[in-house]
Amino acid sequence: MTATAPEELFAALDVARAPADGPAAFGADLAPRTLLAAYRRGLFPLPAADPYASAFNEARCERAVAAGEIALLPVPDAGPDAGLDADPYALAWWSPDPRPLLAVDGVRIGRKLSRLLRNRLDWWTTADLAFGEVLAACAEGREPPWLTEELQQALTGLHRIGAAHSAEVWEEGELVGGVFGIAAGPVLSLDSMFHRRPDAARVAVADLAARFAAAGGTLLDAQWDSPHVRSLGAVPQPRARYLAALAGGAQDAEEAGRAVGPLDTARLPAARLAPERPREPRPHGHPRAHRHPYRNARRA
């Protein structure tokens, strides 16, 4: 098969009409340029962990593929960047509807965690310092193992060209939490997160959101709706809104990850993510609004 430009692979795919809770397409490859083109169109990859998973994809979806409800994309000739064989069902592309979205300034920290960050937890954060370590930690022990070695290699390639980012949370030099995602124009699509201390992943998301906002980004995509991402502040939105947000960014898929400025990668205190909340004045008549008369007498 002759080489196909990544943009051409997805050009005929109408993501807006893709299944809400199933794959939008099978096929293509995991080359970095393909990944960029896919994220730019609102898709993310789920590789099959083994031939049995690929066969299951085919058996489950063959009728939808035959009916044209799920696209079957051509698989380029296997090469050093592809990481897949000629089986199109070895790689699924998803675009769920609704899509859980967060404004970059909308990540919830919570009062309890805010107090801990200000008063007890000596945590520091970085960005893009330990991308490989974050990938490995996110892949560890996950079932099904969607973050395959081939996908990790492709994501590392995106990281090298500035399209994939990570945030790391450190405690006394130990990596205790992290998150990584792909920048597609003004949107950062969060792929996975991990924690080795309670709430460290939440802090990583808040940190990456703050750095992405400072670089000009506007929106976070949590991909899959769940109680956890809702607790972070994600709100399920129609997929059409997400696709519209993507359309407002760079038009060239190769430049999609660079549509915003570079991220600040400096080592920063996590406490900055939990600013002190101003105390509201107590209403008139509140028991503590005035000093107790007995205490006032003693002080006199």
Side-chain angles (χ1 to χ4, degrees):
M1 180 182 295
T2 58
T4 304
E7 295 81 3
E8 296 176 3
L9 282 172
F10 302 105
L13 180 59
D14 188 358
V15 179
R17 296 181 179 273
D21 57 356
F26 290 105
D29 61 16
L30 284 176
R33 282 174 51 88
T34 306
L35 280 181
L36 271 181
Y39 277 91
R40 185 65 186 85
R41 292 185 62 86
L43 300 159
F44 56 85
L46 277 184
D50 51 47
Y52 299 100
S54 177
F56 178 77
N57 284 341
E58 182 174 7
R60 183 184 61 172
C61 300
E62 60 181 348
R63 290 185 180 179
V65 170
E69 298 169 3
I70 299 176
L72 202 61
L73 305 175
V75 179
D77 294 332
D81 293 330
L84 295 169
D85 57 21
D87 177 10
Y89 292 96
L91 178 57
W93 298 95
W94 286 71
S95 184
D97 189 10
R99 201 76 173 231
L101 305 178
L102 304 86
V104 287
D105 61 352
V107 180
R108 294 176 185 164
I109 291 292
R111 293 185 178 182
K112 181 179 179 181
L113 179 56
S114 294
R115 288 195 298 269
L116 289 173
L117 289 174
R118 290 193 301 265
N119 303 319
R120 293 182 58 186
L121 295 175
D122 187 21
W123 285 358
W124 292 77
T125 65
T126 55
D128 292 337
L129 180 66
F131 186 85
E133 292 181 58
V134 171
L135 277 186
C138 288
E140 185 177 352
R142 299 293 177 91
E143 291 294 338
W146 64 271
L147 196 51
T148 61
E149 290 186 12
E150 291 84 3
L151 181 53
Q152 290 185 55
Q153 292 173 5
L155 291 167
T156 301
L158 288 185
H159 177 63
R160 291 195 190 102
I161 64 174
H165 299 286
S166 64
E168 303 89 21
V169 181
W170 305 89
E171 180 182 275
E172 297 182 353
E174 179 186 357
L175 181 64
V176 297
V179 63
F180 76 92
I182 309 302
V187 179
L188 183 68
S189 186
L190 302 174
D191 272 4
S192 189
M193 63 189 77
F194 81 98
H195 69 273
R196 293 169 181 157
R197 299 287 188 277
D199 289 318
R202 182 182 300 269
V203 172
V205 172
D207 179 78
L208 188 56
R211 294 176 192 261
F212 189 61
T218 60
L219 196 64
L220 300 182
D221 162 39
Q223 297 185 350
W224 302 100
D225 188 23
S226 71
H228 176 64
V229 299
R230 291 197 187 195
S231 76
L232 290 171
V235 177
Q237 298 287 343
R239 179 172 56 197
R241 181 187 172 189
Y242 179 60
L243 297 178
L246 288 171
Q251 298 304 310
D252 189 307
E254 189 172 2
E255 296 179 358
R258 295 190 289 266
V260 298
L263 264 60
D264 181 3
T265 60
R267 181 176 180 266
L268 299 172
R272 83 189 195 286
L273 302 169
E276 186 75 44
R277 299 192 180 193
R279 290 188 177 183
E280 297 182 0
R282 299 185 186 278
H284 182 72
H286 190 280
R288 296 185 181 179
H290 304 284
R291 292 179 178 177
H292 194 282
Y294 176 70
R295 292 175 182 169
N296 291 344
R298 292 192 61 183
R299 288 175 182 168

